[in-house]
Amino acid sequence: MSSFLIKGARLLGGASSDILIEDGVVAQLGTVTSSGAQVVDADGLVALPGLVDLHTHLREPGREDAETVETGTRAAALGGWTAVHAMANTDPVADTAGVVEQVWRLGREYGWVDVRPVGAVTVGLAGERLAELGAMADSAAGVRVFSDDGHCVWDPVLMRRALEYVKAFDGVVAQHAQEPRLTEGAQMHEGVVSAELGLAGWPAVAEEAIIARDVLLAGHVGSRLHVCHVSTAGSVEILRWAKGRGIDVTAEVTPHHLLLTDELVRSYDPVYKVNPPLRTAADVQAVREALADGTIDIVATDHAPHPVEAKDCEWGVASMGMTGLETALSVVQEAMVDTGLLTWEQVADRMSVAPARIGRVSSQGRPLVVGEPAHVTLVDPSARWECDPATQATMGRNSPVRGREMHGRVVATFYAGRPTVLDGVLNEALSEVPQ
């Protein structure tokens, strides 16, 4: 394996240091001289541990018209990610050991990032009976995160059983918090804008009611609960209350819920149609503050690519979802770092250390110290660029920040010491190297 010498990077945004990478690990820090290593000029760049996404839709198997493991992981590498968790709402659903192993093996075959499959909680995401949780946990994929994302595990008895079951192998249930009866036919956030536009509303309480129920269940059975894509101020207060009582709950927020509001729906552009929906400016401020103070633990993309025809249509029939793998870090810089709410060291925690811990991915989210795996992301915080979905690696063109000036850009990504991205471009030679 080649050696690389990263010169002059600011470790976690702090002091400048060289980073020597040899044999897939961080071999030396400080002022380093190595005649045999390929030099990467990192003057002015921030070095972070490789990012870990706990919530990604790679669509394969079954929806290769929207994304594949290969295209999705190429996009992930460009966004600075070295590990992604692939959600279970594929076709067939990832509710058996066979399907999760297929996704895991595809990730290893392409080698751009570490692909960790998420197993379904219920068979076929139908919410009627538990899937083969133990078999998926014991499979080669070693699944530890289980979710029916896209659907809520609405039955409290089934949710309790799932929480009890995953305790046996230190798993976690990641809940899509959406009370289905309160959101039937919903098109956007329920509020002033929905009333003015005449669109069926998705009330905040539909999210908050499920979170309140599930934190109580998790506390009752002594299990781990993770809440997907938190979007409301009320949800934040419930999570803060639960954590104050010692309940083992973690939560994520998406980049788009940190940045965008329901006012954008006035355009009727389906790119802004998402589940949970874009909320109010007050909700955006609440989730930003919660991410800053640790009430919300992590940022997760909920990267949800769709074929062009699923978004290039009238609002009412458009699919819900947004892409985010290649823009997430830039959005976090704009919403959290440039506003003074997070330091780069805290970004490393929210986008690498904490998600790796929640997903039980022991090889990721590691500190940038000698002897640790060389998962490294280099970002230029001074860069400004315009988001053009047509130039992105993802097959999805449904980016909610298209045409926007982005803050900061990933310059290089090292996955286990191998450069997947150099000078902001995919290292295509990587595919020629045996994994």
Side-chain angles (χ1 to χ4, degrees):
M1 182 177 288
S2 300
S3 299
F4 294 87
L5 178 56
I6 300 171
K7 295 290 292 183
R10 295 166 49 210
L11 300 184
L12 306 182
S16 177
S17 174
D18 300 340
I19 307 171
L20 179 63
I21 297 173
E22 292 181 335
D23 299 322
V25 301
V26 177
Q28 195 173 341
L29 296 172
T31 302
V32 182
T33 301
S34 177
S35 59
Q38 179 177 334
V39 175
V40 177
D41 182 8
D43 183 39
L45 306 186
V46 173
L48 303 172
L51 308 183
V52 178
D53 193 2
L54 203 66
H55 191 149
T56 307
H57 295 275
L58 297 182
R59 303 302 193 198
E60 190 175 6
R63 288 305 311 273
E64 291 85 355
D65 59 328
E67 192 80 286
T68 67
V69 172
E70 181 180 17
T71 60
T73 55
R74 286 164 67 92
L78 284 166
W81 308 93
T82 54
V84 298
H85 288 72
M87 282 295 172
N89 58 341
T90 51
D91 185 13
V93 171
D95 57 5
T96 65
V99 178
V100 295
E101 287 185 351
Q102 177 189 356
V103 175
W104 175 74
R105 290 195 172 95
L106 284 169
R108 287 175 61 86
E109 175 185 341
Y110 296 120
W112 294 102
V113 301
D114 184 359
V115 175
R116 298 291 176 130
V118 173
V121 176
T122 67
V123 175
L125 308 179
E128 297 174 353
R129 57 192 176 94
L130 290 183
E132 300 175 5
L133 308 185
M136 288 187 280
D138 291 339
S139 72
V143 176
R144 289 297 180 271
V145 182
F146 298 86
S147 181
D148 275 6
D149 184 60
H151 301 270
C152 180
V153 182
W154 61 269
D155 184 335
V157 175
L158 203 60
M159 186 63 180
R160 173 182 175 167
R161 289 174 180 164
L163 288 166
E164 290 173 329
Y165 199 129
V166 299
K167 290 174 63 178
F169 39 81
D170 193 27
V172 63
V173 178
Q175 176 68 293
H176 174 113
Q178 176 183 358
E179 212 298 316
R181 289 163 296 184
L182 290 174
T183 56
E184 187 174 351
Q187 294 289 314
M188 65 170 296
H189 171 69
E190 181 180 283
V192 172
V193 179
S194 67
E196 291 180 3
L197 299 180
L199 293 175
W202 203 117
V205 70
E207 175 176 301
E208 296 154 8
I210 295 296
I211 296 175
R213 182 200 75 178
D214 287 353
V215 295
L216 291 172
L217 285 174
H220 179 67
V221 305
S223 188
R224 292 201 297 140
L225 169 70
H226 180 74
V227 182
C228 296
H229 39 52
V230 171
S231 67
T232 79
S235 294
V236 167
E237 290 306 311
I238 294 165
L239 290 166
R240 192 170 283 130
W241 174 87
K243 289 190 172 193
R245 290 175 62 93
I247 295 172
D248 196 355
V249 58
T250 55
E252 72 191 34
V253 63
T254 69
H256 46 271
H257 287 114
L258 287 171
L259 187 67
L260 309 176
T261 75
D262 63 340
E263 289 290 336
L264 290 166
V265 179
R266 294 184 186 277
S267 69
Y268 288 101
D269 187 338
V271 75
Y272 300 121
K273 189 177 183 181
V274 66
N275 185 348
L278 299 179
R279 304 289 189 180
T280 68
D283 291 311
V284 169
Q285 186 61 31
V287 295
R288 286 186 182 187
E289 292 174 357
L291 183 64
D293 69 24
T295 301
I296 293 177
D297 302 81
I298 67 170
V299 175
T301 67
D302 193 11
H303 174 78
H306 288 290
V308 172
E309 60 270 19
K311 283 290 192 178
D312 189 13
C313 56
E314 59 269 28
W315 178 276
V317 298
S319 297
M320 295 185 177
M322 301 171 169
T323 61
L325 284 172
E326 293 166 77
T327 54
L329 190 55
S330 291
V331 171
V332 170
Q333 178 179 326
E334 178 180 350
M336 302 300 297
V337 179
D338 293 349
T339 57
L341 289 171
L342 288 182
T343 64
W344 282 110
E345 184 174 5
Q346 290 171 317
V347 170
D349 175 74
R350 307 309 195 265
M351 298 185 74
S352 180
V353 178
R357 181 178 65 248
I358 294 166
R360 297 299 191 256
V361 187
S362 60
S363 62
Q364 296 279 347
R366 307 298 302 172
L368 296 177
V369 299
V370 173
E372 291 288 355
H375 305 305
V376 183
T377 298
L378 299 178
V379 59
D380 179 0
S382 66
R384 296 293 183 267
W385 55 285
E386 183 177 311
C387 176
D388 179 3
T391 65
Q392 294 183 325
T394 177
M395 291 171 63
R397 296 294 175 258
N398 49 307
S399 171
V401 292
R402 65 186 182 194
R404 188 184 186 98
E405 182 183 71
M406 309 303 294
H407 293 214
R409 189 162 202 168
V410 172
V411 174
T413 308
F414 289 83
Y415 168 43
R418 295 155 50 240
T420 54
V421 175
L422 287 173
D423 295 322
V425 179
L426 284 167
N427 180 17
E428 297 292 355
L430 186 67
S431 60
E432 302 169 7
V433 179
Q435 306 301 318

